[in-house]
Amino acid sequence: MRTHLLIPFVAITSAALFLTACGSGDTDTTSVAADSAQVPTTDVVSAVRKDAAVAKLLPAGTTHLTVAVSVGGTPPGTTYLADGKTLTGQDVDFTKAVARVLGVELTVEQASFEAILPALDSGKYDFGASNFGVTDERRRTIDFVTYINDGQGFATRKDSKLAKVTDLRQLCGLNVATGAGTTFEATLEQNKHLCTDAGKKAYQVQTYAEQSAIWSSLQQGRSDLVMSTINGLRYAVAHQEGLKFLNEYHRLDVGFAFKKGTKLAPAFQAAVDKLLSDGTYDRILRKWGTAGSAIERSRISPPELKN
């Protein structure tokens, strides 16, 4: 039986609207789609059905939501398939699956990573889905509903003498590439003084809007190492020659992002828990090779992990 014929129209719509993203993002789709042959295409979402009990948790009359996504360029983050139009990635799968549980339509807006969180308060987007780490600083203005655990890590070229970064003072005098507007940039900028306090030359933080540019800077020697998501680093090292993963530095919960005080959070939390219980959650993680990021239950704006 071809069960996809029985999928409700709203669920089809919520998935199909991910086929062509719209918005003001400045991503170079040619470079992003270049490694699409390495991107997994297993369908882990279309079998998800609306859960009426979970859907009732939505504010009355909610049938359509606008989500902002940032296209970073490399899996498991949001990227394009070979057509240069179809969005895919771990965050995309979780967003589509939650929308199907809730029975809502989605409009997808593409935006730069650093622009999404500030735009939530204005109501431009209903929520953001771009591997947003839950930090105490962000929780002051943003509500989160967690769906994975990822965090901060480092990678470098195989010829580097670096083996593990446990103290940012190990980076003194080096060039560190990372994403603009990320927790990585914030962590690095806040701690540059560690080098100068020790009488050493501060490391330089090089920020880029796209992951492809970050990796180019490393491969071409313009930077000495990369600080990024643990999952993204592991994927890149597995699919690019001459790289090595150094270590995890700081684990963080990752969640859908909403403006402070949102009434959507309980419904999204219940939807993630539904995916956990029906097996969809595990199928998504297996697809993207991120089983180490599994959580036991979704939480709303938990305190930042301290490790």
Side-chain angles (χ1 to χ4, degrees):
M1 177 183 296
R2 300 185 67 179
T3 57
H4 69 278
L5 296 176
L6 303 178
I7 298 174
F9 175 75
V10 291
I12 293 174
T13 304
S14 67
L17 283 172
F18 264 98
L19 294 179
T20 304
C22 54
S24 57
D26 56 0
T27 305
D28 179 350
T29 59
T30 302
S31 63
V32 171
D35 295 325
S36 58
Q38 302 171 349
V39 179
T41 56
T42 307
D43 178 7
V44 291
V45 175
S46 64
V48 178
R49 300 291 184 266
K50 178 179 177 179
D51 186 302
V54 175
K56 285 182 179 179
L57 297 174
L58 285 168
T62 303
T63 60
H64 181 276
L65 296 171
T66 298
V67 57
V69 301
S70 173
V71 183
T74 56
T78 302
T79 186
Y80 290 98
L81 292 180
D83 60 10
K85 298 179 179 180
T86 305
L87 291 178
T88 188
Q90 181 171 256
D91 297 315
V92 171
D93 280 344
F94 274 115
T95 302
K96 291 195 297 184
V98 164
R100 294 176 77 95
V101 172
L102 296 173
V104 296
E105 298 181 19
L106 289 176
T107 294
V108 182
E109 294 281 348
Q110 184 180 319
S112 62
F113 182 90
E114 63 270 25
I116 294 175
L117 295 185
L120 293 175
D121 189 56
S122 69
K124 183 176 182 179
Y125 313 120
D126 293 302
F127 69 105
S130 289
N131 204 75
F132 289 111
V134 181
T135 68
D136 290 337
E137 177 66 26
R138 285 176 172 172
R139 288 194 307 129
R140 294 189 178 99
T141 56
I142 299 293
D143 281 341
F144 293 94
V145 173
T146 62
Y147 58 95
I148 59 169
N149 174 276
D150 193 351
Q152 304 174 334
F154 292 96
T156 188
R157 296 182 298 274
K158 282 187 176 179
D159 61 3
S160 172
K161 295 180 180 180
L162 285 171
K164 188 175 183 180
V165 178
T166 58
D167 188 322
L168 294 183
R169 280 169 288 203
Q170 294 172 254
L171 310 182
C172 296
L174 301 179
N175 294 321
V176 188
T178 194
T182 61
T183 59
F184 321 115
E185 180 185 9
T187 296
L188 290 168
E189 290 292 354
Q190 291 166 7
N191 289 283
K192 289 177 73 173
H193 69 90
L194 294 175
C195 293
T196 54
D197 289 351
K200 300 179 180 180
K201 182 181 178 180
Y203 52 76
Q204 297 300 308
V205 183
Q206 302 170 326
T207 59
Y208 300 89
E210 299 176 11
Q211 287 293 314
S212 56
I214 292 175
W215 292 113
S216 293
S217 75
L218 182 66
Q219 295 279 26
Q220 295 171 10
R222 298 193 306 275
S223 59
D224 299 298
L225 72 164
V226 170
M227 187 180 192
S228 189
T229 67
I230 294 166
N231 288 333
L233 294 172
R234 290 189 184 279
Y235 189 96
V237 168
H239 292 85
Q240 294 187 50
E241 294 291 334
L243 301 180
K244 64 180 178 180
F245 179 73
L246 293 178
N247 59 284
E248 297 183 7
Y249 181 72
H250 178 38
R251 277 274 173 178
L252 287 173
D253 287 316
V254 170
F256 298 111
F258 306 82
K259 70 177 181 179
K260 197 70 177 176
T262 180
K263 295 182 179 179
L264 294 171
F268 271 70
Q269 179 188 34
V272 174
D273 285 342
K274 173 67 176 179
L275 300 176
L276 279 160
S277 65
D278 71 10
T280 302
Y281 186 91
D282 287 339
R283 287 190 287 274
I284 292 173
L285 293 190
R286 285 199 301 271
K287 173 181 177 178
W288 297 104
T290 55
S293 284
I295 59 174
E296 294 183 358
R297 62 183 178 88
S298 179
R299 295 192 293 169
I300 298 174
S301 298
E304 180 179 347
L305 294 176
K306 304 298 182 182
N307 58 347

